[in-house]
Amino acid sequence: MLAHKALKPQPCHCLTSSPSLFLSSPPAPTGRAAPEHRAPRGVPRAARRCQPQASAGRFSGDPQSSKEEGASSLLPECLASVLQPTNETLNFWTHFIPLLLFLSRFGRLLLLRGAGDVPFHHPALLPLWCYASGVLLTFAMSCTAHVFSCLSPRLRAAFFYLDYASISYYGFASTVAYSYYLLPGLSLLDAGAMSHYVQQQLGWQLDCSVPIAAYRALVLPVALALAVGCTAACCRSRAACCAYPFAVRTFVFAMPLSMACPIMLESLLFDLRTRNPTLFVYFYRRYCWLLVAAFFNVSKIPERIQPGLFDIVGHSHQLFHIFTFLSIYDQVHYVEDGLAAFLKASPAAPTYLGTVGYMLLLTLCLAVVVRRFLNVTDLCKQD
């Protein structure tokens, strides 16, 4: 049990993953005791996350943030908790192990010339550096939020706001990698091929060069604006007035996936499965993993069916972590394949302004959003 030096010893309610944690319910009427929430059987009392009696009834709605609320914890105890059987332990490990895996993989690609005979500072690798920073940052920030969110209520809000910002950062970094490594090879974005397709299918004489050029020019600015808006919406979802925060966050973070629509349209209009089987297979398998992850994040199954049974192992947020990892793992496969094709084609090299410049601008915008929401005390809700 975490130490609470500033609080007098009081009876506590151990956090579980019962449905009451995920649905807003009115407080118990005056004079009636709040219902007891029992910890899962077989878990040592010293390993349970508890909160003072004064806070009973204010439970977090998500296993990802189900550590004690309103308590002050010590940094060493937070670090030690990753080796104890708590409901946050596997939340940490299901993203820390992927972090190490991707760190090794990107190290091989960028530093050991695994991507080809190009040095790490070659301009062709700039989109990959952006993408790698997004993948690593989102896993690292998730681990940090899950371990240290119980230090204080304000730090809790800050960590999860930063977690939302890192997901948006990753989504935009993916769009940067797509725009250089994947989209140029699509027939959908080839003016000649698309004009021929329109003429053949519809009988229209249409010059597609203008809309395609407009798309290429706007894809990154639109993706940046979308990333900032998604972060603001997710931070806002922690407000008390948001009835379904998990559904809101899932929907909001699904919006940047629309930037990959050209690949989906390519598979529908052209023979992507034959021309680029790697992209076809891994792209659609990635979206299957994302759909499964979204299902668990919104439904809160299985703990909604069997309250208390999955508090430590197997609750929905752990499954959400696992399937999001699988989706990114498949994405890395086709991004790496697109990089190999990009290096063989030898097109115009990416610029620092069009890659790193965008990432720095996004970082600044996200920092402004997080700071703005941290200054609004009503939004620092612990859910």
Side-chain angles (χ1 to χ4, degrees):
M1 184 183 300
L2 296 179
H4 307 289
K5 295 186 177 180
L7 299 173
K8 297 179 181 180
Q10 301 178 36
C12 63
H13 291 275
C14 298
L15 298 183
T16 69
S17 53
S18 65
S20 61
L21 302 185
F22 310 116
L23 300 175
S24 299
S25 58
T30 306
R32 292 181 59 187
E36 181 182 358
H37 296 266
R38 296 184 179 180
R41 296 177 181 178
V43 181
R45 180 173 294 275
R48 303 174 186 173
R49 298 291 189 187
C50 296
Q51 67 180 24
Q53 177 70 29
S55 299
R58 294 187 59 216
F59 291 98
S60 65
D62 187 356
Q64 75 168 338
S65 57
S66 56
K67 288 187 179 180
E68 64 199 295
E69 299 180 57
S72 298
S73 302
L74 298 177
L75 185 63
E77 292 174 327
C78 291
L79 294 173
S81 70
V82 302
L83 299 177
Q84 298 170 354
T86 72
N87 54 358
E88 283 284 35
T89 303
L90 289 184
N91 284 345
F92 169 80
W93 289 105
T94 50
H95 268 181
F96 184 71
I97 293 175
L99 173 63
L100 298 179
L101 175 66
F102 286 124
L103 190 62
S104 172
R105 184 159 188 169
F106 287 126
R108 176 182 62 82
L109 287 173
L110 293 167
L111 302 179
L112 301 180
R113 300 197 176 188
D117 191 22
V118 291
F120 70 92
H121 54 79
H122 194 280
L125 296 182
L126 287 175
L128 184 61
W129 275 107
C130 295
Y131 176 68
S133 69
V135 171
L136 297 178
L137 180 63
T138 194
F139 281 111
M141 198 62 242
S142 173
C143 294
T144 304
H146 283 299
V147 174
F148 299 114
S149 62
C150 63
L151 287 173
S152 74
R154 182 173 177 79
L155 282 177
R156 175 187 187 78
F159 280 128
F160 282 104
Y161 289 162
L162 291 172
D163 190 25
Y164 306 149
S166 69
I167 296 173
S168 293
Y169 181 95
Y170 153 72
F172 179 76
S174 299
T175 305
V176 171
Y178 284 12
S179 65
Y180 286 99
Y181 297 153
L182 299 176
L183 299 186
L186 300 181
S187 298
L188 184 72
L189 297 180
D190 182 279
M194 197 60 196
S195 297
H196 177 73
Y197 178 85
V198 171
Q199 182 180 5
Q200 186 180 32
Q201 297 295 323
L202 303 176
W204 298 348
Q205 293 288 344
L206 181 65
D207 183 11
C208 297
S209 58
V210 175
I212 289 176
Y215 176 83
R216 291 181 183 275
L218 295 175
V219 60
L220 290 181
V222 170
L224 188 145
L226 196 59
V228 176
C230 287
T231 303
C234 285
C235 292
R236 187 71 181 85
S237 73
R238 295 186 72 87
C241 60
C242 184
Y244 304 100
F246 314 111
V248 169
R249 293 168 201 164
T250 301
F251 172 75
V252 164
F253 281 128
M255 291 175 61
L257 300 178
S258 62
M259 305 309 295
C261 280
I263 299 175
M264 189 173 297
L265 292 175
E266 177 82 6
S267 67
L268 296 175
L269 302 179
F270 300 93
D271 193 9
L272 179 63
R273 186 171 188 173
T274 301
R275 294 178 58 249
N276 195 338
T278 300
L279 177 58
F280 181 85
V281 172
Y282 284 108
F283 178 80
Y284 278 102
R285 194 168 74 176
R286 159 178 160 78
Y287 277 81
C288 287
W289 299 140
L290 287 173
L291 285 174
V292 176
F295 167 77
F296 284 116
N297 194 43
V298 174
S299 68
K300 300 305 169 190
I301 292 175
E303 65 268 17
R304 187 182 291 275
I305 299 174
Q306 286 288 335
L309 182 61
F310 302 98
D311 284 350
I312 307 302
V313 178
H315 61 67
S316 60
H317 199 73
Q318 294 168 5
L319 298 175
F320 171 72
H321 275 200
I322 291 170
F323 285 107
T324 52
F325 155 66
L326 290 175
S327 74
I328 296 176
Y329 185 79
D330 281 349
Q331 185 187 42
V332 172
H333 271 284
Y334 62 77
V335 168
E336 186 176 347
D337 188 68
L339 170 62
F342 179 81
L343 294 175
K344 290 178 183 177
S346 300
T351 64
Y352 280 92
L353 184 62
T355 53
V356 178
Y358 271 115
M359 301 306 296
L360 293 176
L361 177 60
L362 176 63
T363 302
L364 178 62
C365 293
L366 294 178
V368 171
V369 170
V370 171
R371 182 178 178 84
R372 183 256 184 242
F373 278 97
L374 278 177
N375 290 335
V376 181
T377 56
D378 290 344
L379 296 181
C380 296
K381 175 192 170 189
Q382 301 171 44
D383 61 349

